[in-house]
């Protein structure tokens, strides 16, 4: 059965990869491995890839840090716990935890390279 994207001829496969700038690749690779609790599935000097919930988190030492660009939000079950853990791991606070409506909470932090990480707690979404 074809998806609506295939029927429309757009050739879109869907969201699949988020790539963060990693000017200090080994440092950022270690930080994300600690954050995730496991190492990358792909580890080369030009790119490091982690599989996260069916998506790819890529670290690119040649990418330019894009401040003010789109923010990727990581789904979490308890935003306060994850926010505090990332701060303890060396992330920097960016925006505080805020309820945006219907019990949905968001916040942003910056990883050690300055990439913005969004967190979102959506109690109505069952995983």
């Amino acid at each position: 059965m074809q998806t609506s994207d295939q029927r429309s001829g757009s050739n879109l496969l869907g969201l699949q990869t988020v790539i963060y700038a990693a000017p200090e690749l080994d440092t950022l690779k270690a930080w994300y491995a600690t954050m995730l609790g496991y190492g990358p599935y792909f580890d080369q000097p030009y790119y490091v890839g982690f599989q996260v919930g069916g998506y790819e988190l890529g670290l690119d030492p040649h990418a330019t840090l894009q401040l003010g660009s789109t923010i990727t939000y990581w789904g979490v079950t308890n935003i306060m716990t994850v926010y505090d853990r990332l701060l303890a791991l060396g992330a920097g606070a960016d925006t505080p935890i805020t309820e945006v409506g219907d019990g949905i909470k968001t916040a942003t932090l910056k990883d050690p390279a300055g990439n913005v990480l969004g967190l979102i707690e959506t109690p109505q979404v069952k995983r």
Side-chain angles (χ1 to χ4, degrees), residues 2 4 6 11-12 20-21 27-28 38 48 57 75 84-85 92-94 106 114-115 117:
Q2 290 185 329
S4 60
Q6 290 168 325
N11 294 312
L12 295 175
Y20 291 143
T27 300
L28 211 56
Y38 56 88
V48 171
L57 166 63
D84 289 345
R85 180 171 178 266
D94 189 47
T106 64
N115 295 293
L117 299 177

Side-chain angles (χ1 to χ4, degrees), residues 52-114:
V52 183
Y55 297 92
E56 178 159 335
L57 166 63
L59 304 178
D60 184 348
H62 305 294
T64 303
L65 189 61
Q66 300 293 318
L67 297 178
S69 65
T70 301
I71 299 171
T72 302
Y73 284 86
W74 294 66
V76 299
T77 56
N78 185 314
I79 197 167
M80 180 62 75
T81 300
V82 176
Y83 190 87
D84 289 345
R85 180 171 178 266
L86 295 181
L87 289 174
L89 289 174
D94 189 47
T95 63
I97 296 170
T98 305
E99 183 166 339
V100 296
D102 292 332
I104 299 168
K105 298 174 187 165
T106 64
T108 57
L109 301 102
K110 290 187 178 179
D111 73 13

